[in-house]
Amino acid sequence: MAHDIIFFLAPDDETAASTRLRGPGEDFESVTCRFIEPDTAIAEWDMHFEAPSAEAPPLEQLYAWRPWPEYVTAPLNDGIEVLALPKRLTRALGKATSAELEELAGHWMTRPV
């Protein structure tokens, strides 16, 4: 399981890739999460905007979901990955109201592990 995950918005993949070893630092507003798997979390968030549900999706539905986040930099054995959110999710997050984001966060955070 991943430990520290930092979400930030970069203007393009090249800029995002440049943060690989140093992190986004103060160059970008960021949110740090702990103990989540970023790719499955991102897929669940994308699924929520397509078909909102308070229930966790079945694993077979989750693993079949497309598109999954894409690597901006190749994964190495150091545990550092830079991923790009699917454009559909980026648009959905940008258009979401505060209430929709709070609903998503509430549903996602209260799911059993």
Side-chain angles (χ1 to χ4, degrees):
M1 175 172 279
H3 292 278
D4 290 324
I5 309 302
I6 303 171
F7 290 97
F8 63 97
L9 181 61
D12 53 54
D13 286 355
E14 184 178 331
T15 305
S18 73
T19 69
R20 186 184 179 289
L21 294 178
R22 61 176 173 76
E26 294 183 14
D27 295 340
F28 304 97
E29 284 189 52
S30 63
V31 175
T32 301
C33 300
R34 301 206 77 185
F35 304 112
I36 67 167
E37 289 293 340
D39 50 358
T40 54
I42 291 166
E44 277 196 53
W45 301 338
D46 192 33
M47 292 174 84
H48 176 81
F49 283 108
E50 289 295 305
S53 172
E55 301 299 318
L59 288 179
E60 47 287 344
Q61 181 183 4
L62 179 65
Y63 295 146
W65 189 253
R66 296 293 178 263
W68 273 68
E70 295 182 14
Y71 286 105
V72 174
T73 60
L76 302 173
N77 267 343
D78 59 6
I80 299 171
E81 299 175 347
V82 180
L83 302 168
L85 273 61
K87 292 197 183 314
R88 176 179 61 209
L89 177 57
T90 303
R91 285 191 298 273
L93 289 168
K95 291 179 185 177
T97 64
S98 294
E100 290 170 324
L101 293 173
E102 286 179 22
E103 177 185 357
L104 170 61
H107 289 193
W108 191 72
M109 294 302 297
T110 58
R111 291 184 175 158
V113 178

